[in-house]
């Protein structure tokens, strides 16, 4: 199933799909948001935004608007809280 | 003396770069700004083995050389510019053992600039706990450099790092990744167009987001035999470069870096769950804020009172022990009072930065940003503005300094500009005395009107800050990174040394940076208040003495002398006289003496009052009377408003001098103010209309030269503090005018 980071549940993981080059800021790519890498949703802020993820070992928080642009293939459904 | 080795420290944020810098330089460090911009420049001297010295420059934290902010472009520019006097002989790249992969991205980029680069792997003490094992020898070989395994917490590895820096000439300066493979044709054309230049450096210049080194970039754009690519094509290439670098890094780490995933991950997850919880998260943040306020308001009042008293007695000592004259007055009332006015802020600044340093060091600050971001966004701010805005409620000065954590310049500027609207502690004495005068003591459903007014004033201040942020966000056209990402670092026990350095450095930069301006303005204000050109000023003593001889003391002073005297007489008769069995002659003698002292004091007060009235400031106050009259003030309040520009709390003291109330007792001043009558309306001067008008004026006006000075320091130009001064004061005037005219 293909979803975006914004749709993940806490503890859920996915693999980043290929994306068009200029939708994501270069900073995110440097932090490891590259196609093929794994993203885990760690926390969502109380007002549903920002979203706290672990990507490729980097723990970062991004805003929902950006998270909606990152498409994933979900890999692990067993760990959902 | 032999030439110093130029060393540049560079690394991702949160890798402990500052700790390494502190360990290398100790207190031998200097913090300033890069010329012309507001990026902080930290440098220091480090003593190396065999008598060699190194100049250490701590570059702003960055994830890569693809710059998106001014801070980062400072780093890149320095690395590219061989002619800069700080251009490093050797770069020390600080990485964190847990995020080695990401840190190495920056390493490979710097290595490709052909500068010798030592890799520091910090937080080595965490390796065993995190189940990480490293093959250092193999890693050194693959990366073609030397590695120092360091733990700033345990103070290990620093000596090894110093050895490596001393022997930097043995390091290889070869590049390790061939970037040209991402677009062979493109780089081939680049090579043909600029045969003498290094391709990777050219590539960096071309892809910079931030407009730096404009000349060089222009030269490339103008070159007739070379057409540059479109923005999105360049971006695609940058992405390719990033992927290429990660492939290289992954390949190396596969052989050298092992991590046992089963080891502890739980602590961080549990803490995150609690600290960002929708109820507990805010509750904990609220409790921490409460403690911070307690410290800034309450705990710091002890050292502040001590400082106040010390400077008062020092100035007293100078007046009594130096020959009287203009110089002594200047020293005692101008310079000493001015320095006192700077030193008095140190406890609050130190406390605020103690807390901020603890929060930052522990990793908690990122969680606050995470919690608050959504709430601040409608106002053009982000979670990072929360702490400065809230600390502004204690004092705007440390709050403005605290905005340094905001990387986005536009957001930082907006925060700096609106912070002075929040109700700082210096407004409190003014609020309290005016509220006590004009707001009735009655209650409304058990709530006192006075308390409600005070709360309303706090809300108005915060509202003004947030609304003006919204407006500024629309008006200010500053190009700056709009993209928001916060790293959520691991939780750490704060290092005492780093906390102490932060507090020390912030305090020092306030005293040295803003202190000069504050001192200068206080001396000017003192001069204007204690000098005058008119005959009245020069002959003040004579005029007042004559007046008192003819018509006696002012009504207020007469009654207060009589009152004081009768209290004195009663105590004397009722208790002391009986205990010591004093006769009537002794009592009347003592009364005479006491009366003489009181009279002398009263005469002295009336002279100072008369002098202030006829000083330059007094003349100025009278000159502006037509302007403040529509607000319901007279020239006396006008003078108090003018002197308040030194600091708001001066308001009460100035009124005390003008009304020649010789006492610091708030009650006395209040009674005197309540007795004051408006010359034209014959009603009390301080009534509801003029009182509200004054409260609103103090709520909005920019009456704090210390804040102006610190804003000048932080924005590096007089433009912004002047804009604040003009707009806030104008706004205050209009609101106060409207309030008085409506309520009158």
């Amino acid at each position: 199933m293909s979803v975006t980071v914004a749709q993940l549940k806490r503890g859920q993981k996915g693999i980043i799909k290929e994306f068009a080059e200029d939708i994501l800021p270069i900073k995110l790519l440097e932090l490891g948001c590259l196609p093929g890498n794994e993203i885990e949703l760690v926390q969502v802020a109380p007002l549903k935004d920002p979203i706290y993820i672990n990507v490729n070992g980097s723990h970062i928080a991004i805003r929902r608007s950006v998270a909606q642009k990152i498409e994933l293939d979900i890999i692990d459904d067993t760990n959902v809280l | 003396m032999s030439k110093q080795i130029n060393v540049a420290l560079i690394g991702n944020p949160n890798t402990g770069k500052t700790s390494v810098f502190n360990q290398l330089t100790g207190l031998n460090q200097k913090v300033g700004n890069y010329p012309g911009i507001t990026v902080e420049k930290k440098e220091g001297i480090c003593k190396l083995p065999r008598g060699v010295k190194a100049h250490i420059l701590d570059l702003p934290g960055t994830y890569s050389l693809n710059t998106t902010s001014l801070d980062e472009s400072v780093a890149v520019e320095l690395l590219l510019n061989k002619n800069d006097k700080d251009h490093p002989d050797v770069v020390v790249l600080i990485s964190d053992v847990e995020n080695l992969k990401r840190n190495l991205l920056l390493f490979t980029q710097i290595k490709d600039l052909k500068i010798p680069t030592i890799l520091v792997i910090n937080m080595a003490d965490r390796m065993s706990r995190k189940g990480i094992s490293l093959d250092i020898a193999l890693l050194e070989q693959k990366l073609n450099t030397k590695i120092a395994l360091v733990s700033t917490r345990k103070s290990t590895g620093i000596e090894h790092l110093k050895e490596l820096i001393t022997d930097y000439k043995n390091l290889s300066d070869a590049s390790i990744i061939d970037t040209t493979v991402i677009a062979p044709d493109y780089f081939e054309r680049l090579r043909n167009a600029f045969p003498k230049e290094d391709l990777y450096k050219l590539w960096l210049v071309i892809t910079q987001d931030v407009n730096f080194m404009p000349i060089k970039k222009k030269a490339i754009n103008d070159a007739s035999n070379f057409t540059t690519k479109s923005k999105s094509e360049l971006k695609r290439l940058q992405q390719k470069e990033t992927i290429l670098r990660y492939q290289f890094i992954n390949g190396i780490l596969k052989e050298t870096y092992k991590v046992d995933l089963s080891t502890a991950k739980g602590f961080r997850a549990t803490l995150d769950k609690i600290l960002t919880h929708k109820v507990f998260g805010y509750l904990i943040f609220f409790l921490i804020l409460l403690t911070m306020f307690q410290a800034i308001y309450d705990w710091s009042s002890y050292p502040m009172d001590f400082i106040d008293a010390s400077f008062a007695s020092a100035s007293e000592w100078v007046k009594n022990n130096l020959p009287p004259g203009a110089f002594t007055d200047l020293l005692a009332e101008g310079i000493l009072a001015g320095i006192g006015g700077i030193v008095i802020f140190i406890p609050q600044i130190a406390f605020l930065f103690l807390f901020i340093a603890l929060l930052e060091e522990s990793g908690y600050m990122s969680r606050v940003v995470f919690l608050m971001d959504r709430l601040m966004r409608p106002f053009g701010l982000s979670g990072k503005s929360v702490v400065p805005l809230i600390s502004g409620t204690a004092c705007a000065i440390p709050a403005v300094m605290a905005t340094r954590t905001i990387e986005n310049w536009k957001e930082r500027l907006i925060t700096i500009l609106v912070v002075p609207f929040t109700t700082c502690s210096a407004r409190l004495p003014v609020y309290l005395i005016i509220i006590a005068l004009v707001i009735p003591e009655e209650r409304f459903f058990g709530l006192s009107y006075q308390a409600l007014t005070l709360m309303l004033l706090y809300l108005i201040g915060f509202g003004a800050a947030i609304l003006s942020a919204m407006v500024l966000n629309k008006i200010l056209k500053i190009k700056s990174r709009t993209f928001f990402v916060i790293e959520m670092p691991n939780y750490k026990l704060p290092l005492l040394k780093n906390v102490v350095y932060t507090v020390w450095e912030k305090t020092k930069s306030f005293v040295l940076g803003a202190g000069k301006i504050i001192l200068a303005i206080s001396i000017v204000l003192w001069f204007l208040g204690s000098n005058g050109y008119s005959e009245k000023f020069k002959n003040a003593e004579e005029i007042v003495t004559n007046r008192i001889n003819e018509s006696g003391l002012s009504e207020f002073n007469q009654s207060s002398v009589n009152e004081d005297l009768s209290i004195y007489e009663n105590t004397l008769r009722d208790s002391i006289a009986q205990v010591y069995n004093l006769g009537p002659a002794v009592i009347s003698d003592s009364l005479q003496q006491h009366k003489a002292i009181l009279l002398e004091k009263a005469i002295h007060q009336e002279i100072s009052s008369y002098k202030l009235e006829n000083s330059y400031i007094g003349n100025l106050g009278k000159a502006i009377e037509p302007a403040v009259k529509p607000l319901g003030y007279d020239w006396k309040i006008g003078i108090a408003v003018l002197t308040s520009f030194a600091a708001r709390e001066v308001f009460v003291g100035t009124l005390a001098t003008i009304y020649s109330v010789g006492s610091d007792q708030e009650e006395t001043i209040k009674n005197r103010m309540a007795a004051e009558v408006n010359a034209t309306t014959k009603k009390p001067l301080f009534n509801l209309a003029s009182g509200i008008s004054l409260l609103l004026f103090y709520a909005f006006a920019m009456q704090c030269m210390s804040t102006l000075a610190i804003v000048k320091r932080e924005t590096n130009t007089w433009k912004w503090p002047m804009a604040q001064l003009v707009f806030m004061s104008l706004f205050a005037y209009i609101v106060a005018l409207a309030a008085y005219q409506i309520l009158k």
Side-chain angles (χ1 to χ4, degrees):
Chain A
M1 195 179 86
S2 166
V3 294
T4 70
V5 172
Q7 290 163 297
L8 285 180
K9 296 191 184 72
R10 218 161 65 193
Q12 224 173 6
K13 289 177 190 164
I15 302 276
I16 304 176
K17 286 189 174 187
E18 285 291 334
F19 49 75
E21 44 285 329
D22 37 9
I23 56 162
L24 287 189
I26 185 84
K27 280 276 111 96
L28 263 188
L29 308 183
E30 287 158 8
L31 287 166
C33 265
L34 289 168
N37 279 343
E38 191 181 289
I39 287 191
E40 179 194 348
L41 186 102
V42 181
Q43 280 280 350
V44 177
L47 295 166
K48 305 283 175 234
D49 196 4
I51 291 168
Y52 175 2
I53 57 173
N54 174 0
V55 54
N56 200 28
S58 297
H59 290 79
I60 55 175
I62 54 176
R63 285 181 174 167
R64 181 164 285 271
S65 53
V66 173
Q68 278 163 345
K69 291 184 191 157
I70 308 173
E71 293 201 334
L72 300 169
D73 287 319
I74 292 185
I75 48 165
D76 186 3
D77 258 323
T78 56
N79 220 2
V80 180
L81 296 172
Chain B
M1 204 183 83
S2 64
K3 185 187 164 290
Q4 289 180 350
I5 303 175
N6 263 336
V7 180
L9 294 190
I10 191 164
N12 290 185
N14 300 308
T15 49
K17 192 160 60 72
T18 309
S19 307
V20 174
F21 179 70
N22 287 343
Q23 296 256 5
L24 284 176
T25 60
L27 271 180
N28 263 325
Q29 44 178 276
K30 197 171 87 188
V31 182
N33 276 334
Y34 286 93
I37 46 173
T38 48
V39 176
E40 196 169 71
K41 181 179 186 181
K42 286 172 89 172
E43 51 194 332
I45 299 294
C46 170
K47 285 205 182 85
L48 297 173
R50 299 190 285 287
V52 185
K53 276 189 183 172
H55 170 257
I56 315 270
L57 184 65
D58 187 12
L59 289 173
T62 175
Y63 292 107
S64 78
L65 297 184
N66 308 321
T67 61
T68 47
S69 75
L70 203 58
D71 287 44
E72 294 164 342
S73 64
V74 164
V76 179
E77 189 156 0
L78 183 73
L79 292 173
L80 289 179
N81 186 0
K82 280 224 153 71
N83 299 322
D84 193 303
K85 72 170 173 47
D86 290 329
H87 182 80
D89 300 312
V90 54
V91 169
V92 173
L93 188 124
I94 318 290
S95 69
D96 148 17
V97 70
E98 281 181 71
N99 290 309
L100 196 55
K101 192 196 284 180
R102 196 182 68 206
N103 298 161
L104 284 177
L105 179 76
L106 180 62
F107 174 87
T108 62
Q109 286 185 315
I110 294 175
K111 195 84 174 71
D112 288 347
L113 288 174
K114 304 192 175 73
I115 302 172
T117 308
I118 298 168
L119 178 65
V120 168
I121 301 182
N122 194 11
M123 310 193 197
D125 52 309
R126 300 176 82 107
M127 281 170 67
S128 59
R129 191 147 43 96
K130 296 283 166 182
I132 297 167
S133 56
L134 265 173
D135 186 343
I136 297 287
L138 189 59
L139 196 57
E140 282 187 335
Q141 187 198 326
K142 295 270 181 191
L143 295 175
N144 195 8
T145 189
K146 289 287 178 190
I147 294 176
L149 207 55
V150 165
S151 162
T152 42
R153 190 168 296 269
K154 300 254 159 72
S155 297
T156 57
I158 291 291
E159 290 312 312
H160 182 213
L161 173 61
K162 286 184 181 173
E163 290 280 349
L164 291 180
I165 295 174
T166 319
D167 297 331
Y168 80 93
K169 288 201 168 123
N170 299 336
L171 296 170
S172 153
D173 61 359
S175 65
I176 50 174
I177 296 178
D178 180 11
T179 327
T180 59
V181 300
I182 58 173
D185 300 349
Y186 178 73
F187 279 98
E188 193 52 46
R189 276 189 287 130
L190 203 56
R191 194 197 312 276
N192 291 335
F194 306 95
K196 282 190 209 126
E197 301 277 347
D198 181 272
L199 282 183
Y200 183 61
K201 286 184 186 171
L202 277 178
W203 166 243
L204 275 182
V205 174
I206 291 170
T207 52
Q208 290 318 314
D209 241 9
V210 175
N211 197 16
F212 85 128
M213 296 211 297
I215 302 162
K216 197 158 185 185
K217 194 161 180 170
K218 197 166 178 296
I220 295 173
N221 285 334
D222 288 353
S224 54
N225 54 349
F226 178 74
T227 42
T228 178
K229 296 200 168 215
S230 76
K231 252 207 144 95
S232 77
E233 278 174 312
L234 284 177
K235 229 172 161 182
R236 178 158 53 222
L237 287 182
Q238 272 186 314
Q239 190 192 341
K240 271 190 162 175
E241 183 199 337
T242 310
I243 295 174
L244 178 77
R245 290 186 186 279
Y246 268 124
Q247 278 169 349
F248 173 82
I249 294 163
N250 284 335
I252 290 179
L253 289 183
K254 210 172 256 175
E255 295 176 60
T256 56
Y257 186 92
K258 301 268 179 308
V259 57
D260 179 7
L261 277 174
S262 62
T263 24
K265 186 185 170 189
F267 176 63
R268 172 196 184 116
T270 316
L271 259 187
D272 267 340
K273 214 175 269 176
I274 300 169
L275 293 179
T276 61
H277 188 269
K278 57 180 172 246
V279 179
F280 301 121
Y282 290 110
L283 197 68
I284 292 169
F285 180 46
F286 179 73
L287 288 178
I288 291 177
L289 282 182
L290 216 60
T291 320
M292 252 170 83
F293 267 107
Q294 184 67 10
I296 298 170
Y297 257 121
D298 201 36
W299 303 346
S300 62
S301 68
Y302 300 105
M304 284 170 88
D305 289 345
F306 173 74
I307 291 168
D308 208 20
S310 309
F311 273 92
S313 54
S315 129
E316 198 62 30
W317 186 89
V318 167
K319 268 194 264 181
N320 293 335
N321 287 281
L322 290 185
F327 176 73
T328 306
D329 282 352
L330 171 70
L331 193 63
E333 283 161 15
I335 297 178
L336 270 177
I339 294 176
I342 301 161
V343 176
I344 195 96
F345 285 115
I346 289 178
Q348 289 190 328
I349 292 179
F351 266 121
L352 179 67
F353 280 99
L354 174 69
F355 277 94
I356 289 190
L358 287 175
L359 297 185
E360 294 253 13
E361 279 271 305
S362 62
Y364 180 69
M365 198 63 106
S366 302
R367 275 72 186 180
V368 171
V369 176
F370 179 69
L371 275 178
M372 303 300 288
D373 181 61
R374 185 66 189 82
L375 289 172
M376 302 306 289
R377 224 180 296 166
F379 311 106
L381 302 172
S382 80
K384 293 179 184 174
S385 313
V386 169
V387 168
L389 274 182
I390 293 175
S391 3
T393 325
C395 178
I397 296 156
V400 168
M401 289 163 74
T403 59
R404 288 222 163 172
T405 48
I406 307 173
E407 298 98 354
N408 182 325
W409 169 241
K410 181 177 176 183
E411 201 183 304
R412 183 171 155 208
L413 182 65
I414 292 179
T415 313
I416 291 176
L417 292 179
V418 305
V419 149
F421 272 127
T422 53
T423 305
C424 67
S425 53
R427 284 182 174 104
L428 207 54
V430 183
Y431 284 177
L432 290 178
I433 201 159
I434 295 174
I435 287 178
L437 272 175
V438 304
I439 306 289
E441 265 178 62
E442 286 145 39
R443 284 170 186 276
F444 176 75
F445 286 116
L447 292 167
S448 102
Y449 277 121
Q450 299 192 337
L452 282 175
T453 312
L454 187 63
M455 194 184 81
L456 214 60
L457 284 166
Y458 271 88
L459 290 180
I460 287 175
F462 204 70
I466 283 196
L467 288 179
S468 41
M470 228 161 124
V471 174
L472 283 170
N473 187 40
K474 293 252 154 51
I475 300 174
L476 288 179
K477 294 272 175 277
I478 296 173
K479 197 184 158 242
S480 104
R481 177 167 46 145
T482 50
F483 170 63
F484 172 91
V485 60
I486 23 168
E487 205 192 335
M488 307 290 271
N490 225 328
Y491 294 102
K492 287 187 281 268
L493 210 64
L495 271 181
L496 181 70
K497 206 171 182 181
N498 289 346
V499 174
V500 171
Y501 278 137
T502 309
V503 172
W504 168 253
E505 179 200 287
K506 293 289 173 185
T507 313
K508 202 172 82 179
S509 80
F510 166 72
V511 172
L512 300 180
K516 283 177 282 190
I517 306 173
I518 299 173
L519 184 61
I521 303 180
S522 354
I523 292 176
V524 169
L525 276 177
W526 163 80
F527 177 82
L528 294 178
S530 57
N531 287 279
Y533 61 88
S534 65
E535 286 304 307
K536 280 183 181 170
F537 181 87
K538 284 172 194 146
N539 303 322
E541 278 172 44
E542 205 178 313
I543 296 172
V544 175
T545 321
N546 286 340
R547 191 186 70 200
I548 292 172
N549 286 340
E550 277 168 31
S551 52
L553 289 171
S554 73
E555 217 172 282
F556 179 81
N557 272 336
Q558 261 177 26
S559 64
S560 77
V561 164
N562 287 338
E563 206 177 300
D564 190 314
L565 215 53
S566 76
I567 294 174
Y568 184 77
E569 193 180 345
N570 286 338
T571 22
L572 207 58
R573 281 189 202 287
D574 292 352
S575 45
I576 303 172
Q578 280 162 13
V579 173
Y580 294 99
N581 203 13
L582 303 175
V586 183
I587 292 178
S588 105
D589 258 9
S590 166
L591 274 179
Q592 283 299 327
Q593 264 180 17
H594 191 69
K595 188 174 181 184
I597 294 172
L598 285 179
L599 281 180
E600 198 191 334
K601 218 174 115 193
I603 292 170
H604 188 73
Q605 279 162 25
E606 295 206 4
I607 293 173
S608 343
S609 162
Y610 191 78
K611 272 190 161 173
L612 183 58
E613 185 185 333
N614 290 292
S615 67
Y616 291 114
I617 282 256
N619 295 326
L620 217 57
K622 284 181 182 161
I624 64 160
E625 193 172 21
V628 296
K629 215 168 182 180
L631 274 59
Y633 318 155
D634 64 356
W635 61 267
K636 293 175 186 172
I637 303 182
I639 294 176
V641 168
L642 281 181
T643 53
S644 286
F645 278 89
R648 296 181 179 92
E649 64 270 29
V650 171
F651 177 80
V652 180
T654 308
L655 280 184
T657 312
I658 295 187
Y659 293 144
S660 88
V661 182
S663 143
D664 272 347
Q665 288 296 310
E666 219 157 89
E667 227 16 63
T668 326
I669 301 171
K670 201 186 101 186
N671 291 338
R672 180 65 187 81
M673 282 165 77
E676 188 71 7
V677 169
N678 189 320
T680 42
T681 61
K682 304 290 174 209
K683 281 194 263 178
L685 182 65
F686 291 94
N687 51 40
L688 187 68
S690 67
I692 297 282
S693 152
L694 255 182
L695 286 176
L696 288 174
F697 188 83
Y698 272 81
F700 296 128
M702 180 65 188
Q703 289 168 292
C704 177
M705 59 175 182
S706 312
T707 306
L708 290 174
I710 201 75
V711 171
K712 149 78 174 66
R713 205 194 109 81
E714 294 293 315
T715 59
N716 227 340
T717 153
W718 276 110
K719 179 173 140 197
W720 296 115
M722 284 304 124
Q724 273 179 316
L725 177 66
V726 172
F727 282 110
M728 289 178 67
S729 305
L730 208 64
F731 182 64
Y733 184 86
I734 294 168
V735 173
L737 177 72
Y740 181 72
Q741 295 301 332
I742 292 167
L743 293 170
K744 184 170 70 164

